[in-house]
Amino acid sequence: MKPLDPRLLRQARAARGYVVLTAALGFVTAALVVAQALTIAAVLAPAIQGTLDTSRAAPLLAVLAALVAARAVTAWAQERFALRASARTVAELREQVVTHAVALGPRWLATGRGPAVATLATRGLDALEPYLVRYLPQLLLAATVTPAALAVVLGLDWISAVVIAVTIPLVPIFMILVGQLTAGTSERRLVVMQRLGAQVLDLLAGLPTLRAFGRERGPEKRVRELGEANRKATMGTLRVAFLSGMVLELLTTLSVAVVAVGVGLRLVYGDVGLEPAIAVLVLAPEVYLPLRQVGQHFHASTDGIAAAQQAFDVLDEPVRPRGTVPAPALAGATITLDDVSVRAGDRDVLAPAGLTATLGRAAGGRGSVVALTGPSGAGKTTAALVLLGLVAPDAGRVVITTPAGERHDLADLDPATWWSQIAWVPQRPTLSPGTVRDAVLDGVGQVTGEALARAARITGLDHVVAGLPQGWDTPVGLGGVGLSVGQRQRVALASALLGDPAAVPLVVLDEPTAHLDAHDEEAVLDAVRTWRDQGRTVVVVAHRASLVALADTVVTVTSAVEATSGVDTGSAADARDRVEVRS
Amino acid sequence: MSASAGRLRDRLAADPLWRAVRLLDVRWGRTVKAVVLGSLALGSSVALAAVAAWLIARASQMPPVLTLGVAVVSVRAFGISRGIFRYLERLASHDVALRGMAVLRANLYAALAAGRPGTVVALRRGDLLARVGADVDAVGDVVVRALIPAGVAVVVGTGSVVLLTAFLPAAGLALAACLVVAAVVGPWLSARAARTIEVRGAAARADMTSACLDLLENAGPLAVSGRLETRTAALRAADREFAAANDDGARTAGLSAGLVAGATGTAVLAALLLGLPAITAGTLTATELSVVVLTPLAVFEVATVLPAAAVQLRRSRIAAQRIMAMLDGAEPAADDAPVADSAPVGSTVHGGGTAEGTAPVARLDGVACGWGRDPAVTGIDLVLRPGRAVGVVGPSGIGKSTLLMTAAGLVPTQAGTVTLDGVAVDDVPGDELARQVVFVAEDGHVFDTTVLENLRVARGDVTPEEAREALADVGLVGWLDALPDGLGTTLGPDATTVSGGERRRLLVARALLAPAPLLLVDEPAEHLDAATADALVARLVEVCRSRGRGLLLATHRLSALVGVDEVLVLAQPADGGPAAVVARGPHTDLVRDVEAYRWALDREQSGVQVT
């Protein structure tokens, strides 16, 4: 783990500018620290020796005042721009992480990385703020002030410089030694501590349940005992953990004391002048100050670096290359799922396994309805995602055959041109923020009021709208009225009904598994019938018999345990057998 | 006592942070010890600077070396003592905070355990964990990061001012003024900056969070419908707004940092400006001048942690507000019957058919209930007695859970009455109520302990045989046999190792073991496939009936209700408004007479064949 990851500078523009500024301010601070020490010594030494000339003192005091003002300004600038830069850096990384995660697709997000990325993007990256605002400036001061002050001390009194130069390396050496000596103990104790802490929280989280059974009184004693045990364990850990801090403080303060005593004794013998002696005395703590601050903000650094590392881990995930061939016009084309298998998560299960199905090719311009059925977990929704091009199959492919006989592999097609021809109604549709009208018309284009009213009638959206305070103009989505899943489903159905059937010939519907009443179900069935009558191909992930009954073709999706040799061809054959054409 | 002191005391008593800190039950002796140790640590470095300044000035006058002996030893001693005292202070202050946090958690537990039951049962799990976890930590942090550093700053600052005043009163005054700027004005500005960022950034942060989650959760649909670009732009805009809020705060924070840095230099400059004339006038010796000028350089270390302390104070106050709001909500009503020390639950077993004769009867008359101002469900009449099973059906979110919690006396009614054996449930002592009625929540907690101990939550003396039998009743015997240590298997924090369906059945098994004769069970069959779900509910009804227990069951599956005595169908009227009973009666009658019921049942059953 590097204290300053070059990737952070590569990825975040704001961080680059900030590091340059902070480094520059570091140099300025170093110069001011040195100048201030020398000026104080230049005034104070003659004053102590009784040789101060007032005419010489006035300009020096003016210089000192200017230096104090300049240090105040640098401190202001550092803080002023640090906060801003950290907010921008976090924003830049956040956008990159979110965009990259979205590009990695729903399958990657569903492997459990999704919630982790969400936590990282919304809260985790905030750990970069203390790192950038507190730790990084001190790190750069340690790289500027410490050597500059040391160099000046060397020029003033080489013996003091040697003392300092010898003790500085001792700081990391002792800290590493202490760290190694205590690592085993503190890790063991940390585990105990976390376990005890978790137990207290577990009891408290279970309080409503205990309360329901009228058994809340007993565990109170246990909460107290666990709290006490947790305190003891934590104190044990801290006793060890604070040792490294003590070593740091001890070494740095003792070194200053040794320098002061050494200079003092040599003053008695006249081996060193009073003015350099005062300057050394003022500079010695300044040499160690950045080092101590770096140690103090060490946790900020580890948390920040860990957050950045997590962001880079996401950004390092390779994205599947996107196709570049513009998709052919889907109207009249045939889509074939050819022996498609997708590995389910980390398990050795293929869901779907060897799915083969042909969509489209309806006679006489009439649309067709294809129902994907099968037990839960068979991969019905995944099959729909493969068709949408959001999930790449682990085996098999999706082929589009144009009426002219041209064949395209879906993987080669530019997704944007493919998606623009598809309407997708997922199980839990999402609405863009805006009014209900905006949500329905989003991405649909020009629509007459009549068509909108008709779509609303078919899907039952008209009833929903009638119940909203401002009708069609009620804001929904972010900050607006919350619509239930069923109501959002109706909005999405209506939206999918409105698109031009020639431009959007394929509709993919993932039927909601949640409870539907008679009206909800009728709305879904009516929408599917209307799409078919419009001449579209409708692919339905169906859970209900009523929807299956409506289908022209029923495709049974099956899963299979993955054979070590690859795809289980037996079950693939089974899947093909079960494709049954009813109409 | 003067009026203003009284007002101050009142304000302090009302301050949530002060109230929370009092709940920490801090031993002031330990706190004083930590402040003393901290003052010795920082005092060591001030003393080191002062003595070194004297040493150098005196040495330059080339006295006999022996006269410097004491100073030399002191400088070295201060060099060592600083680190050691600091170490001891950190241990002492963390000990104070950790003790306080443990006590606060226990106090919270006790208050919630004794408080109004509805508040506790209704608390969302995430909220509760945040209150007792991070928020208690934040209140504890106020001791380590704010109170003790502030105490140390006062002691060391005052000491340094006194030292300088002894030599040159004007310089002491100047140091005091500079310290006030660095240790009071600076931190105050920092806290203001933090508040600006928080207040102005709150809306932007919420927008940013929802834009992030929207993009990540709906990546697919947004991509297919071509809305990815606009949503990414929305995230960018929210982040820009957030950065602008940060920038606003940064102005104030920058001012604070500049003031603190300027104050240090100004103190030295002032000492020189005041000291030089004094030495000319002969009121100050050369060595004293050295001390007066060089000591301030070390004193300002006391102020370095104070801006962070001020920010911490604010953060802790907000956390304390949330804790106090939870506690105030849970406070028992003044007219609650005092709860006498009762025999431990489980010592009197009501299960196993002993309930007959002393049957408790729960009765709801014209009940309207809900969480907000407007009722969610209205006009409920219903009687629950041992041996009788009642089902409540209706779509998700219509208010079935609220109705059950109201029937259990956990949520106050908005209209009508809930009585237990003719006594209003509000007047029944909590312990007694829990002995008669048990509400089994959908998201009941599975403890980080063994299967058996989890079942013993219902009743302390459940035997392994009884546990096994209860698990068999819910169809978990196969699962139990597959566990490595059977009933002794530890389930892990909140049973993350258990599937949704297994967890739900475990909760039902626990309910069956409860001694209470009346069970109110919320959605027992969620996360189960249709066949298993119906079998589980049927078994639950059968077990309750055969053991003379009353059962009120909320579900959205109709096919499971064949065995219950009465079904209440809840539905929302077309014009919105609270849900009400639209049909009631035995399952078979409803199937015969109510078309919508028959239709829904048909769909459900045909659905069983498809999925």
Side-chain angles (χ1 to χ4, degrees):
Chain A
M1 242 181 8
K2 295 179 197 123
L4 177 57
D5 197 324
R7 275 192 298 178
L8 184 62
L9 303 184
R10 267 206 304 278
Q11 298 285 356
R13 213 155 32 99
R16 279 201 293 276
Y18 172 62
V19 168
V20 170
L21 175 80
T22 306
L25 287 175
F27 281 112
V28 172
T29 309
L32 291 173
V33 163
V34 168
Q36 187 177 319
L38 294 177
T39 315
I40 290 174
V43 182
L44 191 57
I48 289 171
Q49 288 164 329
T51 57
L52 185 69
D53 182 357
T54 348
S55 62
R56 248 197 88 219
L60 278 175
L61 287 174
V63 168
L64 186 58
L67 288 171
V68 167
R71 279 196 80 173
V73 170
T74 35
W76 166 82
Q78 180 59 47
E79 187 77 14
R80 169 79 182 81
F81 295 108
L83 275 169
R84 176 155 79 177
S86 89
R88 290 191 180 164
T89 306
V90 169
E92 280 184 46
L93 278 182
R94 174 155 44 227
E95 191 186 325
Q96 288 176 28
V97 165
V98 170
T99 311
H100 196 84
V102 166
L104 284 166
R107 200 174 155 202
W108 185 82
L109 287 170
T111 54
R113 305 291 297 273
V117 171
T119 311
L120 174 69
T122 52
R123 290 204 308 274
L125 284 174
D126 289 348
L128 275 170
E129 190 196 293
Y131 167 75
L132 288 169
V133 174
R134 305 277 158 241
Y135 177 76
L136 203 55
Q138 295 303 334
L139 192 66
L140 291 170
L141 285 180
T144 50
V145 172
T146 300
L150 184 57
V152 174
V153 172
L154 181 66
L156 294 169
D157 177 39
W158 67 269
I159 298 175
S160 297
V162 169
V163 171
I164 294 172
V166 168
T167 50
I168 285 179
L170 288 182
V171 171
I173 289 172
F174 269 90
M175 286 185 78
I176 289 167
L177 272 178
V178 170
Q180 278 181 349
L181 283 175
T182 56
T185 346
S186 58
E187 262 165 42
R188 229 178 13 255
R189 287 196 163 138
L190 204 64
V191 172
V192 175
M193 199 173 100
Q194 282 166 345
R195 172 95 191 135
L196 288 168
Q199 281 178 349
V200 173
L201 290 188
D202 183 58
L203 271 179
L204 277 152
L207 185 57
T209 299
L210 291 170
R211 199 68 214 254
F213 286 103
R215 293 186 49 87
E216 68 279 7
R217 274 165 215 286
E220 190 186 324
K221 200 169 140 247
R222 179 103 183 103
V223 171
R224 284 190 196 277
E225 284 166 3
L226 279 171
E228 185 56 20
N230 188 16
R231 180 189 67 82
K232 285 196 180 127
T234 310
M235 285 309 294
T237 316
L238 293 181
R239 231 166 257 134
V240 175
F242 289 161
L243 273 182
S244 62
M246 183 174 80
V247 169
L248 180 65
E249 297 246 353
L250 200 63
L251 277 174
T252 52
T253 324
L254 190 57
S255 309
V256 173
V258 168
V259 168
V261 169
V263 168
L265 292 180
R266 271 175 293 125
L267 265 172
V268 178
Y269 300 109
D271 293 346
V272 62
L274 180 59
E275 192 177 324
I278 291 174
V280 167
L281 191 64
V282 173
L283 280 176
E286 298 282 0
V287 175
Y288 294 107
L289 187 62
L291 295 177
R292 277 176 33 201
Q293 294 282 338
V294 165
Q296 249 174 39
H297 296 294
F298 181 69
H299 285 292
S301 92
T302 46
D303 293 354
I305 290 170
Q309 190 56 48
Q310 280 174 28
F312 298 139
D313 286 347
V314 174
L315 295 177
D316 284 346
E317 292 277 340
V319 177
R320 179 163 61 102
R322 290 180 151 219
T324 48
V325 181
L330 258 181
T334 308
I335 306 165
T336 314
L337 297 172
D338 183 12
D339 206 13
V340 166
S341 298
V342 178
R343 200 167 292 118
D346 301 329
R347 296 177 293 150
D348 294 333
V349 174
L350 297 174
L355 175 67
T356 297
T358 304
L359 320 169
R361 209 172 26 188
R366 188 172 161 272
S368 67
V369 177
V370 181
L372 300 180
T373 68
S376 56
K380 298 186 293 290
T381 298
T382 309
L385 292 175
V386 169
L387 176 64
L388 288 161
L390 288 169
V391 166
D394 290 305
R397 55 190 193 143
V398 180
V399 177
I400 295 100
T401 313
T402 63
E406 272 179 68
R407 289 164 65 83
H408 295 276
D409 191 327
L410 177 59
D412 301 332
L413 299 181
D414 174 13
T417 58
W418 174 246
W419 289 332
S420 65
Q421 303 185 64
I422 302 175
W424 178 25
V425 183
Q427 272 201 21
R428 301 176 64 85
T430 107
L431 305 184
S432 294
T435 65
V436 182
R437 191 194 309 276
D438 294 340
V440 175
L441 298 183
D442 191 26
V444 172
Q446 279 299 313
V447 170
T448 62
E450 201 183 321
L452 181 61
R454 202 176 100 81
R457 204 169 51 248
I458 293 171
T459 55
L461 182 62
D462 49 354
H463 287 294
V464 177
V465 170
L468 292 174
Q470 288 151 272
W472 283 102
D473 296 318
T474 309
V476 291
L478 295 176
V481 173
L483 295 185
S484 72
V485 176
Q487 291 170 326
R488 274 186 277 155
Q489 181 90 22
R490 285 165 197 237
V491 171
L493 286 172
S495 188
L497 278 170
L498 286 169
D500 177 7
V504 187
L506 177 63
V507 180
V508 179
L509 168 68
D510 201 343
E511 191 205 358
T513 43
H515 179 83
L516 287 185
D517 65 18
H519 295 294
D520 290 328
E521 179 165 326
E522 213 43 57
V524 172
L525 293 178
D526 284 346
V528 172
R529 281 191 205 102
T530 312
W531 285 323
R532 176 168 59 192
D533 296 345
Q534 288 172 337
R536 306 197 218 210
T537 302
V538 187
V539 177
V540 191
V541 175
H543 301 280
R544 255 160 256 263
S546 53
L547 255 179
V548 178
L550 195 67
D552 304 298
T553 312
V554 177
V555 177
T556 307
V557 181
T558 54
S559 60
V561 176
E562 192 179 10
T564 35
S565 58
V567 178
D568 182 343
T569 45
S571 85
D574 283 354
R576 253 196 303 276
D577 289 344
R578 279 187 216 133
V579 175
E580 127 198 37
V581 179
R582 290 211 199 141
S583 61
Chain B
M1 183 179 35
S2 74
S4 68
R7 262 203 307 280
L8 183 69
R9 176 176 290 189
D10 290 345
R11 274 188 60 182
L12 208 56
D15 185 87
L17 183 58
W18 183 244
R19 289 179 59 202
V21 167
R22 281 166 54 112
L23 279 183
L24 289 175
D25 217 359
V26 170
R27 295 283 156 74
W28 294 109
R30 292 182 200 279
T31 314
V32 169
K33 180 181 151 201
V35 172
V36 168
L37 286 169
S39 304
L40 285 174
L42 271 179
S44 292
S45 74
V46 174
L48 170 63
V51 177
W54 181 88
L55 173 70
I56 283 189
R58 184 77 186 95
S60 72
Q61 296 163 349
M62 300 187 178
V65 177
L66 277 179
T67 58
L68 301 176
V70 176
V72 167
V73 171
S74 321
V75 168
R76 286 182 184 145
F78 288 134
I80 294 167
S81 65
R82 186 203 143 100
I84 290 168
F85 281 128
R86 171 86 178 114
Y87 175 75
L88 294 175
E89 179 261 324
R90 285 175 87 185
L91 285 182
S93 63
H94 280 80
D95 188 54
V96 171
L98 286 168
R99 274 173 203 277
M101 277 144 71
V103 170
L104 178 53
R105 288 208 171 94
N107 284 345
L108 269 179
Y109 183 93
L112 291 175
R116 205 178 286 143
T119 326
V120 178
V121 178
L123 273 175
R124 294 217 332 269
R125 193 188 135 66
D127 282 348
L128 186 57
L129 272 182
R131 289 310 84 79
V132 300
D135 284 351
V136 168
D137 282 351
V139 171
D141 277 350
V142 88
V143 175
V144 177
R145 298 203 187 156
L147 296 184
I148 290 172
V152 170
V154 169
V155 172
V156 176
T158 312
S160 309
V161 169
V162 167
L163 176 76
L164 257 66
T165 309
F167 295 129
L168 185 67
L173 210 62
L175 177 64
C178 290
L179 274 174
V180 166
V181 170
V184 179
V185 179
W188 176 74
L189 283 172
S190 291
R192 251 183 66 134
R195 193 183 58 206
T196 308
I197 293 174
E198 213 171 87
V199 172
R200 257 209 66 187
R205 180 174 266 282
D207 282 353
M208 176 276 286
T209 305
S210 72
C212 270
L213 295 181
D214 191 21
L215 275 165
L216 290 171
E217 281 163 14
N218 305 311
L222 289 174
V224 172
S225 60
R227 286 179 290 166
L228 216 45
E229 288 297 314
T230 52
R231 298 305 289 138
T232 312
L235 171 63
R236 210 173 297 140
D239 250 328
R240 251 200 312 275
E241 183 55 36
F242 194 46
N246 258 290
D247 210 31
D248 252 22
R251 260 186 275 277
T252 320
L255 190 60
S256 163
L259 278 179
V260 173
T264 316
T266 308
V268 177
L269 189 62
L272 272 173
L273 285 172
L274 296 166
L276 294 181
I279 203 166
T280 319
T283 52
L284 198 67
T285 67
T287 46
E288 285 168 358
L289 174 73
S290 179
V291 173
V292 166
V293 173
L294 295 179
T295 308
L297 282 171
V299 175
F300 282 83
E301 198 186 341
V302 300
T304 48
V305 292
L306 293 182
V311 174
Q312 181 65 46
L313 204 60
R314 186 185 142 63
R315 212 169 276 159
S316 300
R317 177 168 287 117
I318 294 168
Q321 249 159 18
R322 289 191 292 252
I323 291 176
M324 285 302 145
M326 183 171 79
L327 274 186
D328 292 346
E331 213 147 87
D335 59 355
D336 260 13
V339 183
D341 272 359
S342 53
V345 179
S347 59
T348 50
V349 183
H350 284 261
T354 55
E356 287 145 41
T358 59
V361 178
R363 185 184 292 276
L364 278 69
D365 283 310
V367 164
C369 57
W371 289 103
R373 248 172 345 120
D374 299 319
V377 181
T378 185
I380 304 292
D381 300 308
L382 128 84
V383 177
L384 188 65
R385 60 162 58 92
R388 182 176 154 85
V390 179
V392 178
V393 297
S396 315
I398 200 162
K400 299 190 294 288
S401 306
T402 317
L403 176 60
L404 257 59
M405 290 169 83
T406 310
L410 299 172
V411 180
T413 58
Q414 297 193 337
T417 55
V418 179
T419 57
L420 186 69
D421 286 338
V423 183
V425 282
D426 293 346
D427 298 334
V428 181
D431 286 17
E432 178 60 23
L433 192 62
R435 265 203 292 278
Q436 305 292 355
V437 185
V438 160
F439 167 67
V440 182
E442 248 184 308
D443 62 344
H445 189 74
V446 176
F447 290 88
D448 182 6
T449 177
T450 62
V451 177
L452 183 60
E453 286 306 318
N454 260 298
L455 293 173
R456 281 184 176 160
V457 166
R459 181 156 55 80
D461 56 0
V462 170
T463 62
E465 292 70 39
E466 285 176 309
R468 207 179 156 77
E469 196 182 317
L471 290 174
D473 282 339
V474 296
L476 278 182
V477 158
W479 170 79
L480 178 66
D481 290 340
L483 290 177
D485 297 325
L487 286 168
T489 309
T490 300
L491 290 175
D494 205 40
T496 35
T497 48
V498 178
S499 84
E502 287 157 1
R503 178 200 172 92
R504 198 55 69 94
R505 283 185 277 178
L506 193 63
L507 297 179
V508 174
R510 182 153 78 189
L512 286 174
L513 287 166
L518 301 181
L519 291 185
L520 314 179
V521 184
D522 196 8
E523 294 282 9
E526 197 90 333
H527 298 298
L528 296 174
D529 62 82
T532 318
D534 289 354
L536 174 65
V537 173
R539 181 78 192 133
L540 180 62
V541 172
E542 193 188 311
V543 169
C544 284
R545 200 192 299 282
S546 68
R547 298 184 193 166
R549 289 184 145 181
L551 175 68
L552 180 59
L553 181 75
T555 177
H556 64 243
R557 285 190 61 81
L558 308 182
S559 48
L561 296 171
V562 182
V564 305
D565 298 291
E566 187 180 20
V567 178
L568 273 66
V569 183
L570 293 182
Q572 203 151 17
D575 61 346
V581 175
V582 290
R584 66 189 298 166
H587 180 73
T588 42
D589 291 7
L590 290 173
V591 173
R592 191 185 61 226
D593 302 334
V594 183
E595 204 204 319
Y597 193 83
R598 191 165 56 239
W599 181 89
L601 185 67
D602 278 353
R603 289 301 177 277
E604 213 173 84
Q605 285 172 343
S606 59
V608 171
Q609 285 147 23
V610 175
T611 25

